[in-house]
Amino acid sequence: MSAQDRLTDALYGLGWSTVKKLPEPVAVRLGNTIADLAWKQRGKGVQRLESNYARVVPGASPERLAELSRAGMRSYLRYWMESFRLPAWSEERIINGFDPKDLHHLTEGLAAGKGVVLALPHLANWDLAGAWVTTKLGIPFTTVAERLKPETLYDRFVAYREGLGMEVLPHSGGTAFGTLARRLRDGGLVCLVADRDLSASGVEVGFFGDTARMPAGPALLAQQTGAQLLPVTLWYDDSPVMRGRVHPPVEVPESGTRAERTSVMTQALADAFASGIADHPEDWHMLQRLWLADLDPAKGPS
């Protein structure tokens, strides 16, 4: 392991061991302080965040984009502060920490017995939403995690999410899709963050007036298993409670090839994601390149 990898792993370990012990108001102030420092330094992540916001809010002035990127970094650090603290939260704090609308789409879908795929963008805190599902609803679910470097950091994330009641599969390795399909055929729940394609072979979609690529997995799973596909969007307000919405099911088209049906369904997901992001752009934590025009074809997503 390189010195940089050891440092990265140690910093995350420090977060989980130390931040979770802080009183909540102290953690909030710490998160805002770190966010403001990072924003003022104008590193690559902040610049990319601002560039992405420019697509989401076309015509925004430089001052408005700067305001958005500062709010975006504060939202991003709120996600991290909450995530570091989640393992120490009581069941009551988790249950009271999330208020989703239109939950009936999820409960009715699960009651039908064919499984449900929840697909989310990088909005607000998807880990908190997952902890709420396992705690408040008592429903276990399976998800997929990107393999991080160093491997010890990936192991930390897996242990963290498993501690919240999630079954975590590695994104790489080729076996995740089959396992997800089996969980759905058993009537289970699968949750996938699905606004950024990590394979460079996803589905092209129209997204805020340009072309992006999003993963085909959610639509393919729904087609193959008969599970319902539900988009979910999340956002913060000025309270300690995260808000969310479960959108109506994305239907499988009655005609077309599998690729054509997948394209239509993934576009429907992208449209639902765009509606939530447009309403709360500062809570979209996309610090990477997403649109094809911004990607180097030789390198794929970065």
Side-chain angles (χ1 to χ4, degrees):
M1 186 188 302
S2 69
Q4 180 64 45
D5 286 347
R6 285 196 298 272
L7 177 61
T8 300
D9 183 61
L11 288 173
Y12 279 98
L14 181 65
W16 269 300
S17 65
T18 303
V19 173
K20 70 179 180 182
K21 299 176 184 177
L22 297 175
E24 193 153 340
V26 176
V28 170
R29 289 196 299 272
L30 176 62
N32 285 340
T33 299
I34 295 171
D36 289 348
L37 286 172
W39 177 76
K40 289 176 182 177
Q41 289 177 354
R42 303 279 305 166
K44 287 184 178 180
V46 173
Q47 292 180 49
R48 176 50 52 190
L49 184 67
E50 206 164 286
S51 175
N52 289 340
Y53 286 160
R55 292 181 180 272
V56 173
V57 189
S61 66
E63 293 77 16
R64 172 60 178 151
L65 290 175
E67 178 184 271
L68 269 177
S69 64
R70 184 185 186 192
M73 289 304 295
R74 285 192 164 206
S75 176
Y76 185 47
L77 263 295
R78 176 173 171 175
Y79 159 77
W80 279 113
M81 290 294 134
E82 287 179 347
S83 295
F84 287 143
R85 292 172 53 76
L86 260 175
W89 279 12
S90 66
E91 289 189 0
E92 181 182 13
R93 178 67 181 89
I94 292 172
I95 290 169
N96 294 332
F98 181 41
D99 178 28
K101 302 177 185 297
D102 299 325
L103 189 65
H104 65 93
H105 292 305
L106 172 58
T107 55
E108 290 169 3
L110 289 171
K114 293 185 178 180
V116 171
V117 180
L118 295 180
L120 307 87
H122 286 80
L123 273 170
N125 191 339
W126 47 97
D127 285 328
L128 173 55
W132 187 90
V133 167
T134 60
T135 304
K136 169 70 173 179
L137 302 183
I139 298 171
F141 66 88
T142 305
T143 189
V144 174
E146 178 185 359
R147 279 205 173 275
L148 302 172
K149 292 182 179 180
E151 190 75 12
T152 51
L153 180 56
Y154 171 78
D155 293 340
R156 285 186 189 274
F157 271 94
V158 170
Y160 155 63
R161 290 182 171 131
E162 288 179 343
L164 299 176
M166 311 175 194
E167 179 188 21
V168 183
L169 307 175
H171 180 270
S172 58
T175 61
F177 188 91
T179 302
L180 295 174
R182 287 194 295 274
R183 299 292 183 268
L184 293 169
R185 291 193 185 99
D186 289 338
L189 177 63
V190 165
C191 300
L192 301 171
V193 179
D195 57 343
R196 179 172 176 249
D197 179 53
L198 297 173
S199 66
S201 60
V203 178
E204 291 188 4
V205 294
F207 197 56
F208 290 105
D210 209 338
T211 303
R213 190 184 291 117
M214 294 187 181
L220 289 172
L221 284 166
Q223 291 177 67
Q224 187 163 314
T225 67
Q228 279 202 355
L229 175 56
L230 302 176
V232 177
T233 52
L234 310 170
W235 66 93
Y236 291 128
D237 57 19
D238 293 330
S239 78
V241 180
M242 183 176 72
R243 313 296 174 176
R245 173 172 289 109
V246 183
H247 295 252
V250 172
E251 303 293 342
V252 179
E254 295 182 358
S255 61
T257 64
R258 186 172 73 162
E260 289 168 344
R261 293 195 300 269
T262 301
S263 177
V264 169
M265 295 172 72
T266 306
Q267 182 64 61
L269 279 183
D271 292 343
F273 294 166
S275 70
I277 293 167
D279 287 343
H280 305 278
E282 69 279 3
D283 292 323
W284 189 41
H285 309 149
M286 186 56 65
L287 281 71
Q288 298 84 21
R289 300 176 190 269
L290 182 73
W291 283 270
L292 299 192
D294 296 333
L295 292 171
D296 179 349
K299 295 180 180 178
S302 63

